[in-house]
Amino acid sequence: MGSLRFVPARAADPASWTLLAAWPALVLLPSTTATEVVDAVWASVAGDPPDPPTLETVVSSIPLGGADAVESFAVVFLPPHGVGTASVVVRGSASVDLHSVGGARRFGSGGVEPWALAEFPAVTAVALGRLAPVPESGLRPPPGARRFEHGVVEASEVVWAHDATLWETGAANADVSDTVVGAPRVSLPDDSEIEAPALPLPLFELSVNGGPAHPLEGPVVIGRRPTPPPSQGLGGLSTDARPPTVITVPSPSGEVSARHVEIVRSGRTVVITDLRSTNGTRVTLPGGISLRLRQGDSAVATRSAIVEIGDGNVIHISSPVPSSPGMSV
């Protein structure tokens, strides 16, 4: 589990956050977040065996629209065993500093909507909340930091390290000038270097109404009379330069909008976005978790999903290689 510490927030501190921690997830919400929202997110984070939290369920529990919309947040799934891959979702002004054997870097949304998602290999430590002007090369617990393991607390700064000894020595081999997030370079005893292999991306397939499954590669727009979006990645996270594939489905009663849903592979996940449809979109995730997407909402699938858009139209998303490394833990 590593070592998690936080600095308690002072009263009326504009830089304070609400930290929700339940291994392996850390969630940072603005301190002004509605109590009902915090409770709902905590329910998704804490989970109940045999249903541990997953990135998709936690992110989907945070409202992006309506009176209780959360404009800024960070969700971090820490490496399950020591140094490893961390999965991060950020929105708005929230940012996360990640330290690894290859260096340190800061990850923010950069204005991406509805949020930005990425994976970082060989992570040894992370920092959230109030951050230094630039990522620190050696992460140390800030003055006044307290130990913390599980629960909900108001915090101004949050730091985690996979090994408590890093608090004294700084992140191993940290070099703030090296911000490469790809395959990390690991120093060997004889000062030679090897390049650690990058994790292969999983394969995803998409099938509409029981038809043949096709590889999910570029963006896909599905609807009654779909047309390509005016810009790539509408409502999702795709930076794919390829034009989207459009799929037309029947809708005798008009339950399906002309452009109803966008499905995009983003790294090791699939992002499903309701394109402001009239009747909404229902997404069912593994374990029977059912999500109702309102206009413009997105859901994240890490393994498989069933998407229902009306008039009996059902879209199946699956990974044909069950052993493919995913983001769920």
Side-chain angles (χ1 to χ4, degrees), residues 41-222:
V41 177
W42 174 248
S44 72
V45 172
D48 290 317
D51 296 317
T54 64
L55 185 67
E56 57 203 20
T57 55
V58 172
V59 173
S60 297
S61 72
I62 305 174
L64 304 183
D68 293 333
V70 180
E71 298 298 331
S72 298
F73 66 79
V75 178
V76 180
F77 266 63
L78 299 168
H81 304 291
V83 178
T85 298
S87 305
V88 185
V89 174
V90 291
R91 172 178 168 87
S93 63
S95 298
V96 179
D97 281 359
L98 300 108
H99 298 253
S100 71
V101 294
R105 73 161 294 167
R106 179 162 298 167
F107 178 55
S109 70
V112 172
E113 290 289 346
W115 27 252
L117 176 152
E119 287 189 331
F120 300 86
V123 170
T124 60
V126 300
L128 307 91
R130 182 187 287 116
L131 300 176
V134 296
E136 298 177 339
S137 59
L139 188 62
R140 297 176 181 273
R146 302 179 183 179
R147 296 180 184 274
F148 191 59
E149 291 185 0
H150 181 95
V152 181
V153 69
E154 298 299 309
S156 60
E157 299 176 66
V158 181
V159 290
W160 171 87
H162 84 96
D163 184 346
T165 60
L166 290 178
W167 296 137
E168 305 300 329
T169 62
N173 300 326
D175 179 1
V176 74
S177 66
D178 179 8
T179 59
V180 176
V181 186
R185 301 194 69 83
V186 182
S187 296
L188 300 178
D190 60 0
D191 293 329
S192 61
E193 289 186 333
I194 62 172
E195 187 168 289
L199 290 174
L201 291 176
L203 300 175
F204 289 100
E205 291 182 341
L206 182 146
S207 172
V208 179
N209 293 333
H214 300 283
L216 180 59
E217 297 174 340
V220 176
V221 175
I222 301 172

